[in-house]
Amino acid sequence: MAATPVWSVDPRTGKQREQVAAEATPQDLDEAVRAAHASRTALADRTARIAFLRAAAELLDGSAEAVVRTADAETALGTARLTGELARTTYQLRAFADAVEEGSYLDIRIDHPAPDLAPPRPGLRRYKVPLGVVAVYAASNFPLAFSVPGGDTASALAAGCPVVVKAHPDHPATSELCGSLLRRAAVAVGLPEAVVAVVHGFEAGLDLIRHPLVSAAGFTGSIRGGRALFDAASARPVPIPFHGELGSLNPVVVTPSAAAERAEEIGAGLAGSVTLGVGQFCVKPGLVLVPAGPDGDRLAEALAKGLADTGPGVLLDHRMRDGFVSGVAERAALPEVTAPVAAGPGPDAGDGGSGGHTVAAGFLSVPAGRLTDPAYAVLLEECFGPVTVLARYADQHEAATVLDRLPGNLSATLQLSAAETAGGPGPAAELIDRVTRLAGRVVVNGWPTGVAVAPAQHHGGPYPAATSHSTSVGGTAIERWLRPVAYQSVPDPLLPPELRDANPLGLPRRVTP
């Protein structure tokens, strides 16, 4: 039986560009996972891992022109956006190399024996070890930073886990190019190239999560796809951790005093956030609680102007375009929902048109009180693409009632006035407490689009934003791929080097006498 070809598609036209790979057969997938599993011993060398991560960053930077050109041809995200995304990607690789070198990610704890305690305490030494082969499911909207060379891959490799990446069908050529660069980097520092593998195909993705040698998985994508994989990971004879980033509405609350103080500024900022990356960011604001009245009207007018100035954009594939168009239409058809700026298909877009996957940005408006009606539940769900919903609320109680109906989110944003940011008890403090319950990141007087790669970052949230309480961005993302092991009363010569009294590796540790 002939292998199923994998084609690269130009989203600007909707036409096939070139065949870049073939879908992995069950045998191909099994061989990739087994080779990755066999590379674990080599990857356990921390020095080699550090060198590998840094070499991968250097090769990606050195191939920047080809990487960006290929990614833009498949995603239409633009060279400026993709150049920045590549810089973020290589920064992540170097940051994880630094983390491995510094060593605190191992969380080494040593408790010396204390026989006089009641009860007596034995000698205990604890650190973290890698789980094993990690399956990474690449995201559509970030062909670099959340794909083959992205944060899941970088953090797993840093932990000492080989990676098999299921490439996203929206950017297979970019995936193949980046995968080849990572494998070159591995060989250059003396590691097997099998520490990173790339596979294609829907069935390969299912086979990957079920493979008995896969020990954990990371996913960024839709609720439907992520939940199916999560359930498959849980249904295995030996269930495995599944760290999925699924969907998020990312609510924004604009207080009455903030609207009175800077309505135009907030409206313009909202337009930029909603249309960034053609609304394909996982932290795009999808629901904005805006006060009813003249100040809220001024904000809506500024938002409309900002959206009009942006112009049409190109979504990643026809499924996303179709989902966006139908999702906007379903929401706009609800009673009392208006479309001050109509979102929908762009000029000449669609099957047979020259506009490919082009769409127009817009926003919907609805009285906030309607959102307590189950018939309006779709307005509390993510619509992927450049559209948001303005919910006009009458008072703080009505806004709070809407917030209490929301599921988990990656982010929640508060637009506050200068007086409200001064602190102390009051409505602003109550709002922060309320949104902390439903989001993994709380933003004040900024916008959630743009997730800084930093040690204190958290990119996750209550379900369905994520399937675990971990982060997929920032230094602590490495913790997903490690498990703790404690050694009790083990003689020093038999301990791993990381735990020996002499600390031959010079690692940070917490010691209890």
Side-chain angles (χ1 to χ4, degrees):
M1 182 177 178
T4 302
V6 174
W7 290 86
S8 174
V9 175
D10 181 351
R12 293 181 173 95
T13 64
K15 307 299 183 184
Q16 290 180 338
R17 294 177 59 246
E18 59 178 338
Q19 181 183 341
V20 298
E23 293 187 1
T25 65
Q27 181 179 347
D28 295 334
L29 188 282
D30 182 63
E31 290 175 355
V33 174
R34 291 187 181 280
H37 182 74
S39 73
R40 291 173 304 140
T41 301
L43 199 59
D45 184 333
R46 286 176 59 247
T47 302
R49 270 198 333 268
I50 294 165
F52 170 36
L53 292 167
R54 290 173 177 160
E58 290 296 320
L59 277 175
L60 284 162
D61 281 339
S63 304
E65 183 178 351
V67 170
V68 169
R69 182 177 62 249
T70 303
D72 181 54
E74 293 188 304
T75 67
L77 290 173
T79 56
R81 147 74 195 274
L82 291 166
T83 298
E85 187 179 332
L86 179 59
R88 170 202 175 102
T89 302
T90 57
Y91 174 84
Q92 283 183 143
L93 288 161
R94 294 185 176 99
F96 281 116
D98 293 344
V100 175
E101 188 170 51
E102 188 268 340
S104 62
Y105 76 100
L106 292 169
D107 194 22
I108 298 173
R109 297 167 183 257
I110 296 175
D111 295 336
H112 288 296
D116 295 334
L117 289 179
R121 184 182 69 213
L124 291 166
R125 295 169 187 245
R126 178 186 187 273
Y127 81 142
K128 294 181 178 179
V129 299
L131 292 176
V133 177
V134 169
V136 169
Y137 292 82
S140 62
N141 52 342
F142 284 87
L144 304 172
F146 284 85
S147 188
V148 173
D152 284 351
T153 298
S155 58
L157 292 171
C161 297
V163 172
V164 178
V165 184
K166 192 291 189 175
H168 198 280
D170 284 346
H171 34 78
T174 308
S175 299
E176 283 294 311
L177 175 56
C178 291
S180 70
L181 293 170
L182 292 180
R183 289 190 289 273
R184 278 176 52 193
V187 172
V189 302
L191 290 172
E193 68 174 9
V195 296
V196 177
V198 177
V199 297
H200 301 264
F202 178 81
E203 291 299 327
L206 294 175
D207 291 342
L208 182 59
I209 199 71
R210 296 168 178 154
H211 198 288
L213 295 182
V214 168
S215 299
F219 171 89
T220 301
S222 68
I223 293 177
R224 180 181 177 183
R227 185 56 195 253
L229 291 171
F230 175 77
D231 290 345
S234 301
R236 290 167 40 126
V238 178
I240 59 172
F242 181 86
H243 301 287
E245 178 198 317
L246 309 186
S248 184
L249 194 60
N250 306 300
V252 177
V253 181
V254 182
T255 65
S257 55
E261 189 173 270
R262 49 192 180 88
E264 289 79 11
E265 176 189 332
I266 295 171
L270 176 60
S273 188
V274 168
T275 59
L276 190 63
V278 200
Q280 297 172 109
F281 279 22
C282 49
V283 285
K284 179 208 74 177
L287 176 70
V288 188
L289 289 158
V290 175
D295 294 328
D297 293 342
R298 289 192 295 119
L299 188 156
E301 290 168 4
L303 171 61
K305 181 180 184 303
L307 294 175
D309 290 344
T310 302
V314 180
L315 294 184
L316 291 162
D317 62 40
H318 70 88
R319 297 179 303 277
M320 291 179 188
R321 176 195 170 274
D322 293 347
F324 174 74
V325 172
S326 62
V328 169
E330 179 185 10
R331 289 160 173 79
L334 291 168
E336 293 192 63
V337 173
T338 61
V341 177
D348 300 322
D351 294 337
S354 61
H357 310 139
T358 304
V359 296
F363 76 96
L364 304 171
S365 183
V366 64
R370 280 293 194 179
L371 298 181
T372 61
D373 184 341
Y376 288 73
V378 69
L379 295 177
L380 304 182
E381 299 174 4
E382 179 184 20
C383 185
F384 197 71
V387 68
T388 193
V389 175
L390 261 59
R392 307 296 298 272
Y393 65 89
D395 53 36
Q396 184 176 342
H397 174 74
E398 192 169 59
T401 300
V402 173
L403 289 174
D404 289 344
R405 291 181 60 83
L406 299 184
N409 285 270
L410 294 170
S411 72
T413 299
L414 303 180
Q415 295 292 339
L416 307 177
S417 67
E420 288 171 322
T421 60
E430 293 173 10
L431 272 174
I432 287 181
D433 179 64
R434 191 176 296 275
V435 298
T436 296
R437 303 172 203 167
L438 61 88
R441 179 166 57 109
V442 177
V443 180
V444 172
N445 290 353
W447 298 104
T449 41
V451 183
V453 180
Q457 185 59 271
H458 186 81
H459 190 58
Y463 185 85
T467 60
S468 68
H469 297 306
S470 60
T471 179
S472 60
V473 178
T476 56
I478 194 173
E479 296 174 359
R480 297 173 295 171
W481 321 120
L482 299 162
R483 66 176 179 88
V485 178
Y487 295 84
Q488 180 174 325
S489 304
V490 176
D492 193 75
L494 299 180
L495 287 167
E498 291 87 349
L499 299 179
R500 293 176 188 167
D501 282 334
N503 194 10
L505 302 179
L507 296 169
R509 45 174 61 180
R510 176 182 173 182
V511 180
T512 303

